[in-house]
Amino acid sequence: MSLNDKLFILFAGIVALLGAASLIGFVLARRATSETGRATIDNLNARIRAWWVMIAIFAVSFTLGRGVTLVLFALTSFYTLREFVSLTPTRAADHLPLVASFYVLLPLQYWLISIDWYALFTILIPVYGFLLLPSLSALKGDTEQFLLRVSRIQWGLMLTVYCISHAPALLTLDIPGRPGEGFLLLFFLITIAQFSDVMQYVFGKLFGRTKVAPAVSPSKTVEGLAGGGLSAVAAGAALWWITPFTPLEAAAMAFAIVAMGFLGGLALSAVKRSMGVKDWGSMISGHGGVLDRMDSLSFAAPVFFHLTRYFYT
């Protein structure tokens, strides 16, 4: 089966599923009577609409090529870093490292991916960025909460630029016998991560009783994690044919994505709670900010990238 055939079947199947989900969501919204029920259905429908947007972006990205995909992810990193920094207290001495983060390290990271310079893009931020940012802050001579301020910028850069950039880096992988199919790996990663989030929400609302970490994220339950995680693993196994994995390997990869995505959502919820906010922003209607939708992907992308690169290239 050719790449175009796989993509046609994939997009047709997902459009059919989203159409059915939108219809069900419309019917449920009309029948909901309680305030809580309406809020739950509205949230679910907002997630379905976000999926429509995501599929449209995927279609445009594939049509216009790898360069456009990299630009879209670079913009995503820019907006998520901005959201992170906006909620993080900074001082005048932090302006220079912030400029370096936004206008030097971020574009350089994606440029290195575009030219497939693996050896440098994997160490640019965790090594050179790690050393550069505190040096720039120290030059300003402001020692007030120096370690805390620098750590916030470093962590935000790692999370929103370095980690997220591993998703489009899948396009650079050279898998024997499957030329040009990095886009399908990217589709697999994002689909499993987002499907897991949606199904954890659904199972949590339907059957959730036991809180995983109530002080950090009251909506995350053991039942939601189990039901949503197993659903995503099953979806991953069903999508094995678009990957270089066997069905069992695809299920294992999906499990890794689910596990890391859950930890990412939990960790970033803890960050938000520590700063006294519910959402990272308000850019996405019904979902908060861009980082609220990318939190699971930020943890899952580098793990999935390196597992795939190590075992399949």
Side-chain angles (χ1 to χ4, degrees), residues 92-233:
D94 300 324
H95 292 172
L96 189 56
L98 286 174
V99 168
S101 298
F102 277 100
Y103 301 110
V104 178
L105 294 171
L106 189 158
L108 186 55
Q109 175 75 4
Y110 280 93
W111 177 74
L112 292 172
I113 294 173
S114 71
I115 63 172
D116 198 10
W117 194 345
Y118 172 80
L120 188 52
F121 105 72
T122 54
I123 65 170
L124 174 69
I125 290 175
V127 176
Y128 299 108
F130 182 86
L131 299 174
L132 175 65
L133 297 180
S135 300
L136 294 175
S137 289
L139 288 172
K140 292 292 185 178
D142 186 352
T143 60
E144 181 73 21
Q145 293 187 322
F146 180 84
L147 179 61
L148 183 59
R149 288 169 22 228
V150 170
S151 298
R152 284 169 172 165
I153 298 174
Q154 288 174 325
W155 210 70
L157 187 65
M158 279 290 295
L159 183 76
T160 63
V161 180
Y162 182 74
C163 289
I164 289 177
S165 72
H166 279 76
L170 289 165
L171 301 177
T172 68
L173 293 182
D174 183 17
I175 299 176
R178 307 182 80 95
E181 293 196 6
F183 183 85
L184 294 176
L185 289 172
L186 177 60
F187 192 98
F188 182 87
L189 166 66
I190 295 180
T191 297
I192 299 304
Q194 296 301 319
F195 184 68
S196 175
D197 284 350
V198 172
M199 296 310 295
Q200 285 182 43
Y201 175 81
V202 171
F203 276 92
K205 288 296 183 181
L206 292 176
F207 308 109
R209 297 290 183 274
T210 309
K211 306 293 186 182
V212 175
V216 175
S217 183
S219 63
K220 293 187 184 298
T221 64
V222 173
E223 295 81 3
L225 174 60
L230 289 174
S231 298
V233 169

